[in-house]
Amino acid sequence: MTFADLHLHTYFSDGTYSPEEMVSKGRHSGLAALALTDHDTVEGCQPTAAACEAAGMEFIPGTELTAEQDDHELHILGYFLDIHNPKLLAEIAKFQAVRQNRIREMVARLNQLKVPLTVEAVFKEANCRSPGRPHVARALVKAGLCSSLDEAFERFLKNNRPAWVPKFKMSAMEAIELIHQSGGVAVMAHPGLNRADEVIPGMAEAGLDGLECFHTKHSTSTAEHYLKLAGRFNLLVTGGSDCHGMSKGRPLIGTVKLPYHHVEKLKARAAERKAAAVATSAG
Ligand code: AMP
Ligand code: FE
Ligand code: FE
Ligand code: ZN
């Protein structure tokens, strides 16, 4: 059997690994293929592709877009997309600008609470265009203002805590459309964490291609539940560890192993999406 891990983050968003470190860990855990799905960016795809090629592994370009549907925050994974697609890159640039402004707002709120963190310290810690709360948390710990990442989230950064600032989200339908027009397939990430099963039929109708049935935070019964829903709504099945490197304790890469036949099906769908995207842009 060959396996893939289709949900991974590097330091191009809130993971801690470089592409090379991640690929090396992936190879040692026995993966044949991996997909990079950094939040709201595709910047890490080229270096990760190069590292996979050097390691003799298959690379699948991807991203994890922040989206919403009916007041639920949803993460939409895009796979096999054209990472040079101009519309995709324009939307990602917008996302990144608002993420950077959000960091400034969160730091301003911390300063109002007499926590003397600087914006520069967070940007230095993030060192990427897609910064988020984990970077604020790491900067707070590094500056000695919190003793742990958990404390930073509990005291300041969790939803509705005093330094939390809501995040920009595109509509889930727009995210699906954006992925399709760049020739990719769109998959709902970790449905078990979203508690939004009621939106799945409408999204399937709108062209959602798959459900991430296997995920680190899904129990066996949760995975079975989503396998059933995928069958009912004719959705493809994906899975991944959602490894963020060392930022969440032990590295998770390779702990969720997706049998490769699911990747074959995803690839076949991507070929259809690509053909449709070319036909649309030509017409
Ligand atoms: P953001 O995209 O800036 O809202 O940050 C969301 C990211 O923060 C998630 O992808 C997780 O990696 C991380 N995160 C969210 N909640 C927590 C928490 N309570 N403790 C540690 N990390 C968290
Ligand atoms: Fe994350
Ligand atoms: Fe996610
Ligand atoms: Zn993720």
Side-chain angles (χ1 to χ4, degrees), residues 7 9 39 64 75 189-190 193 215 242 244:
H7 194 150
H9 296 270
H39 298 285
E64 181 174 15
H75 294 174
H190 42 62
L193 306 186
H215 182 273
D242 211 350
H244 282 71

Side-chain angles (χ1 to χ4, degrees), residues 14 39 99 102 131-134 150 153 158 167 244 248:
D14 58 0
H39 298 285
R99 273 182 173 272
R102 176 173 176 245
R133 285 180 290 167
D150 275 347
F153 271 92
K158 269 170 88 158
K167 189 166 49 172
H244 282 71
K248 288 178 182 168

Side-chain angles (χ1 to χ4, degrees), residues 9 14-15 39-40 64 66 73 75 99 102-103 106 130-138 149-154 157-159 164-167 190 217 242 244 247-248:
H9 296 270
D14 58 0
H39 298 285
D40 305 325
E64 181 174 15
T66 309
E73 176 167 339
H75 294 174
R99 273 182 173 272
R102 176 173 176 245
I103 297 291
M106 288 195 281
S130 227
R133 285 180 290 167
H135 301 114
V136 179
R138 286 178 217 159
L149 299 176
D150 275 347
E151 185 196 324
F153 271 92
E154 286 301 325
L157 300 172
K158 269 170 88 158
N159 290 23
W164 171 70
V165 174
K167 189 166 49 172
H190 42 62
K217 291 192 175 157
D242 211 350
H244 282 71
S247 62
K248 288 178 182 168

Side-chain angles (χ1 to χ4, degrees), residues 8-19 22 36 38 44 48 243:
L8 300 164
H9 296 270
T10 63
Y11 63 26
F12 283 91
S13 68
D14 58 0
T16 61
Y17 290 148
S18 65
M22 199 183 62
L36 181 65
D38 271 317
T48 308
C243 178

